[in-house]
Amino acid sequence: MSSPGTQVHPLDEVRILDLFAGPGGLDVAAHFLGFKSIGIEWDQNACETRYAAGLPTFHADVSVMRETRFDEIPASVEVLAGGPPCQSFSVAGRGSGRAALNTVKEFIHRLVSGEDESRIDKDLHALGVDPRTALVLEPLRWLLKAIEMEGRDPYRVIVLEQVPAVLPLWDVYAQLLRSGEGRLKGVKYEADCWELKTEQFGVPQTRTRAVLVARLVGSGAVERPEATHLPFDVHRRRGNAAQAQMLPTGSAAERRWLSMAEALDAASALKGSSIDISRLRTGGRTKFFVVSNYGSNGNPKNRGRRLSSEPAFTVTGKVSRNKVYRSEADYEAERSDRFSIAESGVLQTFPHNFPWSGKDQAQQVGNAVPPRLGMHVLSRALRGTAPSNNELARSTTWPTVPGTTADELRAIGCGDQSRCPQDGHKATRTTRKSAP
């Protein structure tokens, strides 16, 4: 497996195209599985993190890239992956996308049927919903472009993820991909979609994602990734003992979900670790509780709690607003702490030394796909197997990336800033950071 920064051209043998790539959750997963990827990302801050991490990137708008720069995508790409922005579908947002689900389904069918895309774009604009809602159509548009463009082959594998509210749209995707109708020109896929809980794949956090996997007919059946851990009961009663104390010991306990304390303890014990949680230890034991920034059960004042012996809440872009307390006495005295960016990244299963860069780092962390979940999904989609124990073990530490590699990737992604998103470089240039 080549590491970021090795002496090969960054775009040689790229197999995976990651749309809406963010700081690199799926790309990090691909790296530890031994696959090279390239991402398209609109946000300059996320791009700076990607450059520092050695991840090939186009700083571009996904739609513009498809319309005017499609030929710049390496011909070696055979996997289309990505997670369109979820804000309009997320329960934490205003929900315009959720309200428009049936309408979006119609647009999916219209795209495949061959209707003029300019008419579709005009009708989408006329809806007056959050414009990010339309981005859920982009993976389909990229697939159709690859099928229709001379000299390109259809993507062999498609992997998409989003919030659970999008599952009905992925189901429509899957039905159409299996049909080969209209603009698909007889190209058929084996396709399926599911809701996956991140804590069941070793992520120390409760987060549910809607995942679609499709493979060209003849490439093998599509199988649901196999869970490696037990689910966490987010509806447990208050006042009950922590679930960790109620589970049996032995082999069954080894498969339970991973707690915040376990994940942070393991990260802090790694050689050269950037994680120091000594402030959260009492009597040699990591012990704390987290009070969420969000309310629960419709009451904004009813802040949820999680013990350190439990998985974290869903890590969002507001993760730095969650308050961490060592004890009830600290809570009463309003003596709170916060998770650092590196610690929040670990709760997302990024390597402890991942080189978060640019501004809005908490937002970058929250927007990302948890790499460990990505490893399970990509490995099952591309190889038909789960990631190996060795691959999972290696995924805790990111390789050092020379500054020259970051500069080379920046030249690829932002070399001609006129091609970057409008106002994408309006902010003051961030200082380059490399992994320690």
Side-chain angles (χ1 to χ4, degrees):
M1 176 179 68
S2 61
S3 296
T6 52
Q7 298 303 309
V8 295
H9 191 277
L11 304 191
D12 285 347
E13 299 179 354
V14 167
R15 292 188 60 191
I16 301 173
L17 173 63
D18 186 6
L19 307 179
F20 313 103
L26 281 176
D27 303 77
V28 169
H31 165 76
F32 286 117
L33 293 173
F35 299 109
K36 290 191 67 174
S37 63
I38 188 167
I40 303 175
E41 175 51 42
W42 178 86
D43 179 63
Q44 172 64 11
N45 294 304
C47 286
E48 285 299 323
T49 293
R50 294 177 61 86
Y51 300 148
L55 298 173
T57 307
F58 289 111
H59 180 207
D61 180 285
V62 166
S63 300
V64 172
M65 195 83 194
R66 168 180 52 80
E67 292 168 355
T68 64
R69 302 174 59 188
F70 194 89
D71 59 345
E72 295 180 41
I73 303 300
S76 57
V77 166
E78 58 181 358
V79 180
L80 180 69
C86 67
Q87 289 88 343
S88 69
F89 295 99
S90 172
V91 294
R94 295 183 179 180
S96 62
R98 298 196 306 278
L101 273 178
N102 287 333
T103 304
V104 177
K105 288 180 184 179
E106 294 176 11
F107 282 112
I108 293 174
H109 282 283
R110 289 172 64 182
L111 273 174
V112 173
S113 70
E115 187 172 337
D116 183 73
E117 289 200 33
S118 62
R119 176 65 185 177
I120 292 174
D121 290 335
K122 182 178 179 180
D123 289 350
L124 276 168
H125 181 73
L127 285 176
V129 298
D130 188 325
R132 291 172 295 190
T133 301
L135 295 178
V136 77
L137 302 175
E138 275 300 321
L140 178 58
R141 293 183 180 215
W142 276 80
L143 169 62
L144 296 174
K145 182 101 173 187
I147 290 174
E148 295 171 345
M149 188 172 185
E150 186 176 350
R152 291 277 177 163
D153 294 324
Y155 300 112
R156 187 175 65 84
V157 178
I158 302 167
V159 176
L160 305 176
E161 66 85 33
Q162 247 276 17
V163 294
V166 175
L167 191 63
L169 301 184
W170 287 168
D171 188 53
V172 174
Y173 261 62
Q175 293 174 31
L176 290 170
L177 292 174
R178 289 192 290 262
S179 74
E181 297 175 355
R183 291 175 64 190
L184 291 168
K185 297 184 176 181
V187 176
K188 294 184 179 182
Y189 289 82
E190 302 283 354
D192 206 347
C193 50
W194 322 275
E195 283 191 4
L196 301 180
K197 296 180 180 295
T198 57
E199 78 271 18
Q200 290 192 266
F201 295 89
V203 180
Q205 157 196 185
T206 54
R207 184 188 197 109
T208 304
R209 306 303 290 178
V211 173
L212 165 79
V213 173
R215 302 175 70 172
L216 273 176
V217 169
S219 300
V222 168
E223 297 179 349
R224 182 189 181 106
E226 294 182 5
T228 57
H229 294 69
L230 297 172
F232 177 77
D233 181 10
V234 296
H235 301 296
R236 67 203 184 288
R237 291 184 179 180
R238 286 186 178 182
N240 285 357
Q243 287 186 334
Q245 298 172 347
M246 297 189 292
L247 289 171
T249 58
S251 58
E254 292 172 0
R255 285 179 53 83
R256 73 165 175 80
W257 34 261
L258 193 68
S259 72
M260 290 183 279
E262 290 169 320
L264 294 172
D265 278 339
S268 67
L270 295 170
K271 183 178 179 180
S273 178
S274 56
I275 306 295
D276 180 6
I277 56 170
S278 57
R279 70 190 189 285
L280 300 178
R281 289 196 174 113
T282 302
R285 179 184 173 193
T286 301
K287 187 176 181 181
F288 58 86
F289 63 90
V290 180
V291 177
S292 174
N293 174 62
Y294 295 100
S296 59
N297 298 321
N299 182 359
K301 295 182 179 180
N302 184 18
R303 309 291 187 183
R305 284 194 184 196
R306 289 282 174 90
L307 303 178
S308 55
S309 57
E310 299 174 327
F313 295 106
T314 298
V315 175
T316 71
K318 304 295 188 294
V319 62
S320 59
R321 297 185 186 180
N322 292 346
K323 295 183 178 181
V324 182
Y325 298 93
R326 290 202 311 170
S327 65
E328 287 293 340
D330 282 353
Y331 178 74
E332 295 296 331
E334 298 185 355
R335 293 190 297 266
S336 64
D337 203 330
R338 310 274 179 168
F339 288 128
S340 69
I341 294 299
E343 290 163 351
S344 300
V346 166
L347 297 179
Q348 278 275 59
T349 62
F350 276 88
H352 71 92
N353 61 336
F354 195 69
W356 300 102
S357 303
K359 299 179 180 179
D360 298 328
Q361 293 181 12
Q363 192 68 51
Q364 293 183 49
V365 174
N367 286 348
V369 179
R372 192 175 182 107
L373 176 66
M375 290 180 71
H376 281 276
V377 173
L378 285 177
S379 183
R380 183 65 63 177
L382 300 182
R383 307 187 301 197
T385 61
S388 70
N389 290 333
N390 285 338
E391 289 169 336
L392 293 172
R394 288 197 302 267
S395 69
T396 57
T397 301
W398 194 247
T400 299
V401 176
T404 52
T405 296
D407 287 339
E408 182 180 2
L409 293 176
R410 189 178 291 106
I412 293 172
C414 299
D416 180 355
Q417 293 186 5
S418 67
R419 307 180 80 186
C420 295
Q422 187 175 6
D423 296 329
H425 293 268
K426 189 174 182 179
T428 302
R429 180 69 166 270
T430 53
T431 302
R432 185 187 71 221
K433 293 171 63 177
S434 296

